[in-house]
Amino acid sequence: MSRDALKTLFHPFETGVIDPPGEDERVLFLGAEAGYRLPQDFSASIAAVQPLRSLYRALEAARADVTPVAEGEDYDAALVLCGKHKGENEDRIAEALKRTRAGALIVVAGGKEDGIQPLRKKIGKFGWDGDSLPKYHGVAFWFTRPEDVSGAVSQLAKVPVRVDGLFEASPGMFSHDRVDAGSELLASRLPKDLTGHAADFGAGWGYLSVMLAHASPGLKGIDLFEADYEALEAARANMMANAPSTPARFYWHDLTSEETRDKYDLIVMNPPFHEGHAAEPSLGAAIIKSAAKALKHGGRLMLVANRGLPYEQVLAENFKESGETCRNARFKVLWAKR
C-alpha cells in the first residue's frame, strides 16, 4: 500500500484545485514511489527519479519511466515527494528548480513526520506565487518557478560534507556528517591478515571498506553493495581517494531481494534497520541471511549492531558457529562462520 504522502501529493489535481498537466507536457517526479494513481486528465509523461534500489525496482515493476538520478531539463512541471531527511527534501526542490522551465508548476508534498510544515514555511519566504492544501495527515504546497532561481538553488541544494578530512558524504546518507560510532567499533576489530575476497553489505559511503583495505592490505578485492545510488557513488569516490590500490567493485543492490553473484571469504556490515520511513529491524535480519548465502564454506561474517537488536538468533539459525567479539555501552560486534 502506498503511503499517505503520495495521495497528498496528487490531491490538488484530484480535486481540481490545480489543473492536471496535459499530454504534451513533461513532468519530473523527484523522490517517486510506486502506488500512485494518476488523477483524471493527468495525461503528461512522467520522468520518475528514485535512488533507493527497492523503491526503484517497485517503480520499474509498475512500468514507470524511472532513473536513479535526475536527467533532462526544461520540464513543464515537477512533483517532489518528501522523505524523512530535511537536507534531502530541500535538495529535491533545488533539483526541481534547476530542471524546470520558467513558469513551471512545482508541487511538493509530505507528511508531518517529513517536516513538511517547516519546509513549506521556508519555501514561502521566497515569495513565489502558490498555495497549499492539507490532506491525508500531510500537506501539499505548490508554487510557480520564477525566471531566476540561482539564489534559491544555492540556499537549498545539499552541499557534500568532509568527514574526518578523508571522506565525502551528503545529507540523506546514513551518518553523512561523521563516522558512525558503531562502524568505528567494528573497524577496530577488522582482521589485519585477510588475503581473500571481501564484501561490504550496506556499504553506505564506504567507511568500512576503506578501513578494511587499510587493515588488510593483502586483500584480493572488496565488493561494495549499497541500496542508495548516491551513497554508492560517494563510496566509489572515497575508495578511489583513500584505498586506490585495493581492487573494488560497486553494486547498486537490494540485498533483501537480489542475490549476489560471487562468494566471499569475509563479509562486513553495519546493517540498516530502516526501510524508507518505517523502522524495520527485520531488514537487518534479511541482510544477515543474504550474507550467509554469499559466504564461502568457512567464510566469516563480522557485523556491528545496537545492543538491543536481537541478531544472535538469526546468526545461530543461519551459520555453523557464531558469537560476540566485544561490546560497549551502545553497540556490540558479532561474528559468524559459514
Side-chain angles (χ1 to χ4, degrees), residues 69 158 160-163 166-176 203-207 209-210 224 226 228-243 250:
V69 293
K158 61 186 177 186
V161 175
R162 291 293 290 177
V163 179
L166 297 171
F167 309 99
E168 191 166 285
S170 295
M173 299 175 191
F174 171 68
S175 194
H176 80 279
W205 44 261
Y207 170 76
S209 291
V210 169
L224 290 79
E226 172 53 45
D228 180 342
Y229 187 89
E230 294 175 354
L232 186 66
E233 290 303 297
R236 190 191 304 273
N238 287 326
M239 283 294 290
M240 181 62 69
N242 296 287
F250 303 86

Side-chain angles (χ1 to χ4, degrees), residues 3 28 30-33 49-52 55 78-98 106 156-158 230:
R3 61 187 180 96
L28 180 65
L30 296 158
E33 296 181 20
V49 181
Q50 178 50 254
L52 189 61
L55 298 179
L79 306 174
V80 178
L81 184 64
C82 290
K84 62 184 178 180
H85 196 284
K86 172 187 172 183
E88 195 168 43
N89 292 337
E90 292 182 2
D91 187 69
R92 285 175 178 169
I93 295 176
E95 197 71 34
L97 289 167
K98 288 188 289 185
I106 297 176
L156 297 170
K158 61 186 177 186
E230 294 175 354

Side-chain angles (χ1 to χ4, degrees), residues 149-328:
V149 298
S150 56
V153 168
S154 66
Q155 288 186 50
L156 297 170
K158 61 186 177 186
V159 179
V161 175
R162 291 293 290 177
V163 179
D164 287 359
L166 297 171
F167 309 99
E168 191 166 285
S170 295
M173 299 175 191
F174 171 68
S175 194
H176 80 279
D177 57 353
R178 67 194 181 285
V179 175
D180 172 67
S183 294
E184 198 167 34
L185 180 63
L186 176 54
S188 72
R189 298 298 192 273
L190 292 173
K192 302 189 184 310
D193 56 356
L194 186 68
T195 57
H197 287 101
D200 185 348
F201 274 21
W205 44 261
Y207 170 76
L208 281 175
S209 291
V210 169
M211 298 309 289
L212 180 58
H214 288 177
S216 287
L219 268 176
K220 289 182 181 176
I222 303 176
D223 287 355
L224 290 79
F225 294 85
E226 172 53 45
D228 180 342
Y229 187 89
E230 294 175 354
L232 186 66
E233 290 303 297
R236 190 191 304 273
N238 287 326
M239 283 294 290
M240 181 62 69
N242 296 287
S245 62
T246 300
R249 298 183 297 184
F250 303 86
Y251 296 94
W252 185 40
H253 201 85
D254 179 7
L255 288 160
T256 67
S257 62
E258 296 178 282
E259 291 194 5
T260 59
R261 184 180 62 189
D262 296 312
K263 301 292 184 182
Y264 301 99
D265 298 290
L266 173 70
I267 294 174
V268 297
M269 68 166 77
N270 181 350
F273 56 96
H274 284 85
E275 176 101 59
H277 271 64
E280 191 57 62
S282 62
L283 179 62
I287 296 177
I288 290 170
K289 293 176 184 177
S290 176
K293 296 177 182 177
L295 281 167
K296 297 175 182 177
H297 286 288
R300 291 173 67 88
L301 168 67
M302 297 183 68
L303 71 93
V304 66
N306 291 350
R307 284 179 51 160
L309 292 173
Y311 289 149
E312 287 82 357
Q313 183 176 347
V314 70
L315 290 173
E317 291 172 352
N318 290 275
F319 291 84
K320 185 169 66 175
E321 302 173 42
S322 61
E324 181 177 304
T325 301
C326 65
R327 68 169 55 206
N328 61 22

